[in-house]
Amino acid sequence: MEPIDPAFMALLDEEYEKFKVTDSHSLLKKHLTQEVFDKIKHRVTAEGATLHDCIKSGLANPDSNIGLYAADAESYILFQELFDPVIDEYHGGFEPSQFHPISDFGDPIDLGDLNELGNYVLSTRVRCARSIEGYPFNPLLSSEMYAELEQDVGYALEDLEGDLSGKYRSLKDISSEEQEELLEKHLLFKQGDRFLEAAGASRFWPEGRGIFLNENNTLVVWVNEEDHMRIISMQEGGNIGEVYERFVRAVTILGERLPFSSSERLGFLSFCPTNLGTAIRASVHIRLPLLGEDRQTLEETAAKFNLQVRGTSGEHSEAEDYVFDISNRRRLGLTEMEALKEMYDGIREIIQLEIDMEEGNSQCRKKSY
Ligand code: ADP
Ligand code: DAR
């Protein structure tokens, strides 16, 4: 690969000097020390990824939590002095010497209903990110590559049968009104995320972007949003066993038709390092009127079970009517079933805490009579 142009290096040096004095609390700010920066800044991957390609979102958005994306699979290796400490910290301890375990989806029958009475959990969703071997990630994808990726995935989706069968539609063929309807149903991805835009994930938009939906909208596949693919199983209620069973069947069938990109150490590879390993996020939309008024207790309880609390519309959104999106935070260093169990146990605890708070309140009311 050609060495980096001196003028480009001067610009990167200048951007880094400005970034160093921001009050950013991102993992990028914490781990891109001057020593690491000087050591890796001249490196370029075989496909042409530079350090700037990986850190430009965090440089432009000092309020990032992470601030770092891999521009291609090799970035995780070539810039490991930066990626490894970020991965270790985000995934709750995953040292450079550790290896992600072999996939084990377990038996979905072991997972029942999170909330049989249906009085807290409104809906349940299990999603994973998947990248396709032979293609880089957003900053290096050309318009032609986006179109090729969309075609490759489209062919594989045609092989989904029975309750998984459905239709793929390119985003450019969906009216803005219908896009809004799908977004309100939490089926379609949000657009205009400034972190992803600054990371180079919106180039040539909407070329190669689209969504697959099965007949009853319980299986969804996003193409070329943040990752090459997001495979999503979701339904109303808390029956995570059913949601996960459908998810496992779809991922398995698609994995037999597409070469998913993975590494022995990091498992399935993704654009953002937070989605490595299993790349799974299992979530509920759960209404918590009491815990919702005590956000510190909610966050502390979630953290105890390695859960993450998001707003009603997912990342970077607020809760509406006390409906939270709560999911597993760890995706790397544990198997698929372990990630699901960690989420299952945490959600059950949170529901019990909400019940205890209700009972506590009712006891107080009785005493006050
Ligand atoms: P991702 O899940 O891809 O990491 P987001 O946090 O942006 O990204 O969530 C994507 C969409 O999925 C959002 O519209 C969010 O509201 C929706 N979502 C997440 N969990 C659930 C759930 N349990 N039920 C319904 N929609 C959900
Ligand atoms: N907001 C960005 C991304 C963090 C993880 N979310 C993803 N990958 N969708 C940040 O750096 O905070």
Side-chain angles (χ1 to χ4, degrees), residues 333-350:
L334 72 177
T335 66
E336 286 79 2
M337 182 43 102
E338 287 169 343
L340 266 284
K341 270 295 281 164
E342 195 163 72
M343 176 267 194
Y344 185 97
D345 294 344
I347 296 297
R348 300 282 285 197
E349 279 290 327
I350 284 177

Side-chain angles (χ1 to χ4, degrees), residues 63-69 195-196 226 230 272 274-275 310 315-316:
D63 60 335
S64 294
N65 298 316
I66 315 300
L68 179 65
Y69 295 87
F195 303 98
L196 287 174
E226 172 175 336
R230 290 290 176 91
C272 178
T274 64
N275 286 314
R310 299 185 183 187
E315 196 172 35
H316 309 314

Side-chain angles (χ1 to χ4, degrees), residues 169-185 188-189 191 205-206:
R169 297 163 69 194
S170 292
L171 194 62
K172 57 178 181 281
D173 298 332
I174 304 174
S175 70
S176 51
E177 292 75 18
E178 189 177 359
Q179 286 188 37
E180 193 52 41
E181 283 170 26
L182 291 170
L183 193 63
E184 282 168 13
K185 291 174 184 172
L188 182 63
F189 42 80
Q191 297 176 50
W205 196 275

